[in-house]
């Protein structure tokens, strides 16, 4: 493996899937959100290529414990998808303890009544959808490691570019969020990392 970088983050539209690039059992899978699922796996494949890894088979993209690639356990992985778009964030496990990603269309409307389910009094934010995206990414980074009780978004605090759990100070990391465009759609994409 050629370690060109320590991480890679990609967004992909399902329309970018080359014809015949998917095995029949995946193409014919009758599932809700199939195109977004496929887009996130194809984004994963491209992200792996950025790290110098050629994932030839669909099985090379199998994920264990929502964090590790089965075939490449030295690679951490987090996926997200919305509508026909998928995102993949990967990183070397030697660099990070855990990672998470979330992708949200900026046109998504957050109802005021939903804030009580994820905002806590210590959060610093100006945009509720942006905060949601940050918390989802942080949740994905924490959840494979946190074993105490059920984890909720409200238990995670976002302050600037940091996230943490009040009841477990060892689970503190950084979260970045950026505005990205893909095929004339605008997104918030957040990536969260727990350092080694």
């Amino acid at each position: 493996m050629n370690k060109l970088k320590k991480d890679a983050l990609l967004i992909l539209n399902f329309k970018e899937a080359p014809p015949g690039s998917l095995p029949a059992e995946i193409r014919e899978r009758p599932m809700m959100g199939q195109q977004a699922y496929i887009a996130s796996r194809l984004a994963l494949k491209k992200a792996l290529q950025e790290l110098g890894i050629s994932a030839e088979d669909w099985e090379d993209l199998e994920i264990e414990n929502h964090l590790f690639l089965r075939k490449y356990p030295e690679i951490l992985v987090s996926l997200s998808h919305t509508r026909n778009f998928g995102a993949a964030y990967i990183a070397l496990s030697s660099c990070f303890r855990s990672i998470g990603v979330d992708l949200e269309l900026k046109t998504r409307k957050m109802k005021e009544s939903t804030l009580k389910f994820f905002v806590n009094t210590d959060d610093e934010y100006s945009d509720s959808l942006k905060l949601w995206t940050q918390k989802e990414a942080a949740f994905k980074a924490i959840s494979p490691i946190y074993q105490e009780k059920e984890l909720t978004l409200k238990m995670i605090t976002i302050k600037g570019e940091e996230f943490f759990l009040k009841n477990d100070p060892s689970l503190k990391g950084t979260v970045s969020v950026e505005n990205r465009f893909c095929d004339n759609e605008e997104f918030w994409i957040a990536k969260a990392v727990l350092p080694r």
Side-chain angles (χ1 to χ4, degrees):
M1 172 175 54
N2 181 9
K3 295 181 183 177
L4 301 173
K5 298 169 46 175
K6 67 178 183 177
D7 66 350
L9 175 64
L10 279 161
I11 301 173
L12 190 86
N13 187 335
F14 175 76
K15 291 184 239 176
E16 294 180 48
S21 66
L22 308 172
E25 66 270 13
I26 300 297
R27 252 189 344 263
E28 297 164 6
R29 188 181 285 183
M31 59 189 275
M32 186 72 166
Q34 177 183 358
Q35 291 181 336
Y37 169 89
I38 291 168
S40 67
R41 293 318 188 270
L42 292 173
L44 173 57
K45 191 171 184 173
K46 281 190 168 188
L48 287 168
Q49 289 170 348
E50 284 199 10
L51 288 186
I53 298 169
S54 179
E56 298 299 323
D57 299 319
W58 199 255
E59 292 79 29
D60 294 346
L61 307 178
E62 289 183 36
I63 301 167
E64 293 182 334
N65 192 29
H66 305 284
L67 186 60
F68 297 97
L69 282 177
R70 179 175 292 160
K71 186 170 180 180
Y72 304 102
E74 71 279 9
I75 302 294
L76 302 175
V77 61
S78 183
L79 303 177
S80 183
H81 49 75
T82 183
R83 229 175 23 195
N84 293 332
F85 293 86
Y89 178 46
I90 63 171
L92 300 175
S93 62
S94 59
C95 297
F96 304 108
R97 186 174 172 202
S98 185
I99 64 172
V101 69
D102 191 49
L103 177 71
E104 299 291 343
L105 280 162
K106 285 187 78 173
T107 55
R108 178 179 176 186
K109 301 294 181 212
M110 296 295 293
K111 293 181 181 176
E112 197 68 30
S113 61
T114 63
L115 299 183
K116 65 184 174 191
F117 297 109
F118 70 94
V119 176
N120 68 52
T121 56
D122 295 323
D123 287 324
E124 294 176 354
Y125 72 100
S126 58
D127 180 295
S128 58
L129 181 60
K130 185 176 176 181
L131 178 68
W132 171 270
T133 308
Q134 292 171 295
K135 285 203 174 202
E136 282 282 321
F139 180 92
K140 290 177 182 178
I142 294 169
S143 63
I145 295 168
Y146 186 71
Q147 303 297 319
E148 296 302 312
K149 61 180 183 175
E150 185 177 339
L151 181 64
T152 66
L153 292 180
K154 198 159 186 160
M155 295 166 62
I156 299 167
T157 298
I158 303 290
K159 285 196 175 204
E161 292 192 356
E162 290 188 329
F163 69 88
F164 59 90
L165 287 179
K166 283 185 181 180
N167 60 337
D168 190 342
S170 71
L171 294 175
K172 181 178 182 178
T174 59
V175 61
S176 61
V177 63
E178 59 186 85
N179 188 37
R180 286 236 188 137
F181 289 87
C182 182
D183 291 341
N184 299 317
E185 296 281 2
E186 190 173 10
F187 298 91
W188 283 124
I189 186 161
K191 65 179 186 177
V193 299
L194 286 171
R196 282 238 157 253

